[in-house]
Amino acid sequence: MTDRTSAAMSAISSASWTKSPGRHLTSTCTGSPSPASDSFSGWAGFAVTDAVEDALGVPAFLDNDVNAFLRGEVSGGAARGESDVLGITLGTGVGGALWSSGALYTGPHGAAGEIGHIPGFGDLLCTCGGRGHLETLASGRSIGARYADRTGRRLTAREVARAADDGDRDALAVYRAAGAGIARAIVMTAGLVDITTVVVGGGVSHAWNLLNPIVLASLAADPPVSGHPVRLVKAALGADAVPVGAAARARQELAARSAV
């Protein structure tokens, strides 16, 4: 780790801020997190961008990791060149981001595309405090929890996927519920913003052999209102999608500054 990087990390870790439990999003305008799960709590209002810029002496930009993921996949991954894309990450939580008319669309509050935390997917308690969110069915820890609900055995999402591959009916049921939920979220999004492509990443997407046919079957049974199929693809860049997308954003921001 370089001296500058160490200084930046030290500035962030030693700074004080007011803890704010509950749901959090990242403000790309203010450079600080703002009040969607308990996975990343206590950062609301902390000026991350200012701390990094002061420590490094160079421009810094803050973004949501799913926004960076989608930007990376559109820049050089599975959705390269697409103009209207929903990005979904299935990891500890469920994240979403929108690429609309050739650009990332975050909305006035930074919440556009956040499909993980909209209701309508049952009544289970979500990590954010809400109920019936997609995250309660399709995140990595929720897949483990739903399997435990059915069997009393606590496994990781990867272990549940292996059990499903071996024919475990409870594991298959858990993945069917996750896939059906993802498909429903895709249809809802397509009905609102008319996306043409969905790119899925995150650790849970490693069980693509389980999820892909379930999502496609659900979409065929209940297609988007447009009547046009949505292209479903697995992320191509893996863990590199986020840094590739972050670099693309930095280049764009610096080019815009230079043009002024």
Side-chain angles (χ1 to χ4, degrees):
M1 185 178 290
T2 66
D3 290 342
R4 280 189 168 188
T5 304
S6 297
M9 297 305 296
S10 177
I12 293 172
S13 62
S14 63
S16 62
W17 63 93
T18 301
K19 281 188 174 290
S20 175
R23 305 200 297 173
H24 297 77
L25 298 168
T26 299
S27 171
T28 59
C29 298
T30 64
S32 62
S34 58
S37 77
D38 62 358
S39 300
F40 192 66
S41 61
W43 287 77
F46 176 55
V48 176
T49 298
D50 289 345
V52 173
E53 287 185 337
D54 290 345
L56 297 182
V58 296
F61 311 97
L62 181 69
D63 212 338
N64 180 298
D65 60 341
V66 188
N67 290 347
F69 158 79
L70 179 54
R71 193 186 292 272
E73 288 293 332
V74 171
S75 298
R80 184 170 188 170
E82 299 282 352
S83 60
D84 297 278
V85 186
L86 170 65
I88 302 175
T89 56
L90 307 171
T92 304
V94 174
L98 276 178
W99 193 262
S100 181
S101 299
L104 188 73
Y105 178 72
T106 59
H109 307 109
E114 288 289 352
I115 61 167
H117 294 281
I118 53 176
F121 299 86
D123 192 46
L124 292 166
L125 181 65
C126 186
T127 58
C128 69
R131 285 190 173 274
H133 295 176
L134 177 60
E135 186 166 301
T136 66
L137 300 177
S139 72
R141 59 182 169 185
S142 291
I143 286 172
R146 300 295 75 80
Y147 184 76
D149 290 343
R150 298 177 68 93
T151 67
R153 297 170 56 212
R154 173 66 72 167
L155 300 179
T156 66
R158 181 172 295 183
E159 290 169 335
V160 177
R162 290 190 190 126
D165 286 335
D166 290 338
D168 184 318
R169 292 183 180 180
D170 291 303
L172 286 166
V174 168
Y175 270 94
R176 277 196 296 269
I182 293 166
R184 186 176 184 199
I186 290 171
V187 169
M188 292 165 66
T189 305
L192 289 172
V193 292
D194 202 15
I195 53 170
T196 60
T197 303
V198 177
V199 56
V200 183
V204 175
S205 70
H206 294 315
W208 193 246
N209 64 306
L210 297 171
L211 289 173
N212 186 47
I214 296 168
V215 176
L216 290 178
S218 296
L219 290 174
D222 188 12
V225 67
S226 68
H228 294 278
V230 173
R231 189 169 78 96
L232 180 70
V233 293
K234 182 183 178 183
L237 299 181
D240 290 336
V242 172
V244 168
R249 162 130 192 251
R251 285 195 300 269
Q252 181 183 36
E253 295 280 2
L254 293 173
R257 289 187 182 186
S258 299
V260 175

